[in-house]
Amino acid sequence: MIAFLARREHFDRVGSTNDVVRDWLAAGTAEVCLAVADEQTAGRGRQGRTWTSPPGTGLLLSLGFRPTWLESDRTWRLPATVSLAMARAAETVAGLPDGAIRLKWPNDLVIETQAATAAAGTHDGGGVRKLAGVLGETQGLGSADPCAVVGMGINADWTDAGFPPELAASMTSLRHVSDGRPIDRKILLQVFIERLEPAIHGLRAGRFEAAEWQHRQLTTGRLIRLEQPEGSRIVHALGVDIATGALIVDDPHDVRGQRAILVGDISYIRLADPATAGV
């Protein structure tokens, strides 16, 4: 039997695990390859934002794929599958109920805690805290040698006392949501790989966990704020399209009413506060 991981390396400190894996793929490394780091000096998130965490507190990793077996318009299912595997693994390791970890469209891991919700009062989405960011990067889709890199940084054993003041209101960690239970990053990584392997084998065979990806979407049924180049507006998220991965919104500012938002069509998405949304 062929090993699931063709290459796996751990680094004390790197610029970006996504860059490491991208270079591996460019040099001919087979899929699936995995780079893990204790610290990143140039970690990045979506839309050019940065991702940082103190050394040894987060699980920082990137996976490299050569998805010749996946139609190019379904490549979005790779980061979705990675996020679902991490959500399941994190719930197991942190002792959380199944389904406690949700997705903020398309694939960031978030959680709604009772304490956070209570602190937010009745504000929709005010109790949502981010656990992990996901960044997918692709090259050569539709060619004979497509490459895809999925990077993730999850706040694992980070205590809330160490959260940056400017992010404390919007982030959390597995340690915090498990009431201070220490999170072993090595165990989290191993459980994640155990959850990911059958999911990727399933994806290769044409099976995608569409129902779970849809069910975990926190944005469904909520007001969200879309930040686009032409400006910001409040829209109603109706759900997701499991065929394209798009977010379906009801946009009162658009003559089409309901429309599909594809990855890359928006600059930023967040849950809206009805107190400032005019609703």
Side-chain angles (χ1 to χ4, degrees):
M1 181 176 179
I2 299 175
F4 173 60
L5 295 177
R7 182 172 182 176
R8 171 179 175 175
E9 291 191 34
H10 175 270
F11 301 88
D12 293 332
R13 193 170 188 256
V14 297
S16 163
T17 54
N18 265 33
D19 291 343
V20 170
V21 169
R22 187 184 63 241
D23 290 345
W24 287 352
L25 292 173
T29 300
E31 68 170 29
V32 177
C33 48
L34 168 67
V36 183
D38 292 332
E39 181 183 8
Q40 291 186 119
T41 60
R44 59 185 181 273
R46 298 180 69 237
Q47 303 299 327
R49 292 186 290 273
T50 60
W51 180 272
T52 59
S53 61
T57 62
L59 179 56
L60 313 174
L61 61 86
S62 293
L63 293 144
F65 301 90
R66 296 186 178 279
T68 54
W69 41 270
L70 190 61
E71 295 179 16
S72 57
D73 62 353
R74 294 189 174 185
T75 308
W76 64 269
R77 292 183 172 182
L78 276 172
T81 298
V82 170
S83 288
L84 288 177
M86 183 60 80
R88 298 168 188 153
E91 287 168 350
T92 298
V93 174
L96 299 172
D98 292 346
I101 295 177
R102 310 289 298 281
L103 302 178
K104 188 181 77 170
W105 185 86
N107 297 306
D108 284 349
L109 271 58
V110 297
I111 193 165
E112 245 180 330
T113 63
Q114 291 183 349
T117 303
T122 59
H123 293 173
D124 185 16
V128 176
R129 299 291 183 264
K130 185 172 181 177
L131 277 170
V134 180
L135 176 64
E137 298 176 315
T138 60
Q139 186 174 356
L141 295 185
S143 72
D145 187 26
C147 295
V149 178
V150 180
M152 174 179 286
I154 179 167
N155 298 326
D157 204 40
W158 197 347
T159 62
D160 56 346
F163 295 164
E166 67 275 16
L167 298 176
S170 61
M171 66 176 284
T172 190
S173 69
L174 290 179
R175 180 164 184 156
H176 179 69
V177 299
S178 62
D179 296 324
R181 177 179 180 173
I183 303 298
D184 188 315
R185 292 177 300 128
K186 291 182 179 179
I187 294 177
L188 177 60
L189 176 61
Q190 186 57 42
V191 176
F192 164 67
I193 294 172
E194 291 171 358
R195 301 291 189 274
L196 181 65
E197 182 172 0
I200 293 298
H201 287 323
L203 199 58
R204 285 180 179 140
R207 299 188 301 274
F208 171 59
E209 297 290 345
E212 184 181 356
W213 185 74
Q214 190 174 43
H215 178 72
R216 285 188 186 261
Q217 293 291 334
L218 183 74
T219 39
T220 299
R222 304 221 188 195
L223 291 173
I224 59 174
R225 183 183 299 276
L226 295 182
E227 300 285 352
Q228 297 182 293
E230 62 270 25
S232 168
R233 56 184 180 268
I234 302 295
V235 299
H236 187 215
L238 302 178
V240 289
D241 182 356
I242 59 175
T244 65
L247 176 69
I248 308 301
V249 302
D250 183 14
D251 188 347
H253 306 280
D254 193 299
V255 294
R256 294 168 292 179
Q258 292 186 20
R259 64 189 181 100
I261 305 294
L262 293 168
V263 175
D265 284 352
I266 63 173
S267 299
Y268 185 57
I269 180 172
R270 70 176 177 85
L271 299 182
D273 178 356
T276 61
V279 295

